[in-house]
Amino acid sequence: MELIAKVYRHLLKAVKNQLGKEESQRHFRDFITQEFRKNVELSDLSSIQQKIRLAHDYTFLLNSVHHHKDLLFSYNIAVDRSDEMKRTLGKSAASVGLQLPDV
């Protein structure tokens, strides 16, 4: 049971960090919560392990895609850099106590 809670927390954290915590992204968290609650009554050990493995693999995928995107940005590969520029400007503004307006 402790392992299931750990995987659940890690998956929700990955979704929050990689996809965002805006209201428009809430359906991802709702789906994950619904799936975990739906499978609470499973008694087949192999099925439980399969579901835990799926959640763990999806968490790993989300984190890996995010890390890969960061690597592409850091090596200046031709990708959309507007998000990186917003993040960099936001960090620079925050370091001197300012906040960028939402555009």
Side-chain angles (χ1 to χ4, degrees):
M1 192 61 149
E2 193 174 303
L3 175 65
I4 296 171
K6 182 179 176 183
V7 170
Y8 177 67
R9 283 192 308 271
H10 284 284
L11 181 56
L12 285 179
K13 185 177 179 182
V15 168
K16 183 179 87 172
N17 291 338
Q18 292 6 313
L19 300 178
K21 47 188 169 181
E22 295 86 26
E23 192 61 33
S24 63
Q25 304 296 338
R26 184 162 180 79
H27 62 278
F28 289 111
R29 292 187 308 268
D30 291 344
F31 177 75
I32 291 167
T33 303
Q34 177 186 2
E35 285 298 307
F36 269 84
R37 287 183 179 160
K38 181 173 72 175
N39 294 314
V40 164
E41 294 151 6
L42 285 178
S43 59
D44 181 28
L45 186 59
S46 65
S47 179
I48 293 171
Q49 289 174 339
Q50 182 182 12
K51 297 283 185 182
I52 291 172
R53 187 73 190 149
L54 178 65
H56 182 267
D57 290 346
Y58 190 68
T59 303
F60 186 74
L61 174 69
L62 283 174
N63 290 328
S64 296
V65 168
H66 183 71
H67 182 67
H68 183 253
K69 186 177 177 183
D70 285 345
L71 283 174
L72 290 176
F73 282 142
S74 71
Y75 289 121
N76 295 323
I77 304 298
V79 293
D80 183 24
R81 298 183 49 91
S82 61
D83 289 338
E84 181 191 16
M85 290 303 295
K86 284 181 187 178
R87 186 174 47 228
T88 304
L89 288 173
K91 287 180 182 177
S92 298
S95 70
V96 294
L98 300 174
Q99 183 177 6
L100 293 177
D102 292 332
V103 180

